Amino acid sequence: MKFNTKVRYGIRAMLEISFADPNEGILQKDIAVNQEISVKYLDSIISHLKIAGLITSVSGKKSGYRITRSPDEITMLDIFEAFEPGMMVNECINQNFDCTRRKICSVFDFWSGLNVVISDYFRNYTLADMQLNEKMIKAASS
């Protein structure tokens, strides 16, 4: 299973924003530089994150972005769903997919179970977990 660039960069952008001062936020250009994402591509990512209600603009002279909830309340699934309508490891498990083999398919339960495992992992891994991991990596490299 491969996750698209918007999901991957969206997670990186959210991590960067989560470390920002909530009163000032972080500027888009700083997110782009720190995460090595083009400003133009980051426009689309920021837009998705705002529509999903995960980030908001900080008003003021130097307006930046900040997260809308505590990092322990934002899951990787929340971020994923800002870009994708739902987790699907295989299209055959989608209720809207018309599969003539569904009733006789021996592997349908496998795909469904795998989807649950991956969805649960995303649901249980928070932005706070990601922050802790980032801090440990920085401390180890110092």
Side-chain angles (χ1 to χ4, degrees):
M1 181 173 192
K2 183 178 177 183
F3 296 99
N4 70 41
T5 308
K6 283 189 178 179
V7 170
R8 296 191 327 264
Y9 286 9
I11 291 171
R12 288 173 38 198
M14 282 294 293
L15 179 61
E16 190 71 31
I17 295 166
S18 74
F19 283 114
D21 178 331
N23 296 319
E24 295 178 16
I26 184 169
L27 298 173
Q28 184 169 330
K29 67 178 182 150
D30 293 332
I31 299 167
V33 168
N34 295 342
Q35 292 299 320
E36 300 175 353
I37 303 170
S38 78
V39 174
K40 184 176 180 177
Y41 195 61
L42 190 56
D43 278 339
S44 176
I45 292 166
I46 293 291
S47 175
H48 280 82
L49 295 172
K50 284 173 76 175
I51 290 168
L54 297 173
I55 63 171
T56 188
S57 300
V58 178
S59 58
K61 192 173 185 180
K62 287 187 173 183
S63 64
Y65 296 100
R66 66 177 176 83
I67 58 176
T68 57
R69 302 187 309 257
S70 170
D72 62 342
E73 296 175 351
I74 299 174
T75 70
M76 294 303 112
L77 188 60
D78 293 329
I79 300 169
F80 176 87
E81 289 178 340
F83 303 99
E84 296 290 336
M87 185 77 63
M88 288 292 152
V89 297
N90 188 322
E91 68 182 346
C92 75
I93 64 173
N94 185 333
Q95 295 296 333
N96 297 325
F97 184 72
D98 186 26
C99 180
T100 58
R101 295 187 40 84
R102 183 171 283 169
K103 291 182 181 183
I104 60 167
C105 184
S106 301
V107 295
F108 177 80
D109 287 343
F110 169 78
W111 293 124
S112 296
L114 179 60
N115 201 74
V116 168
V117 169
I118 294 171
S119 296
D120 284 349
Y121 184 74
F122 271 64
R123 186 178 294 105
N124 292 311
Y125 204 106
T126 68
L127 199 50
D129 296 324
M130 192 75 67
Q131 286 179 323
L132 181 61
N133 191 40
E134 174 87 0
K135 289 174 185 175
M136 289 181 0
I137 289 170
K138 285 186 177 180
S141 66
S142 297

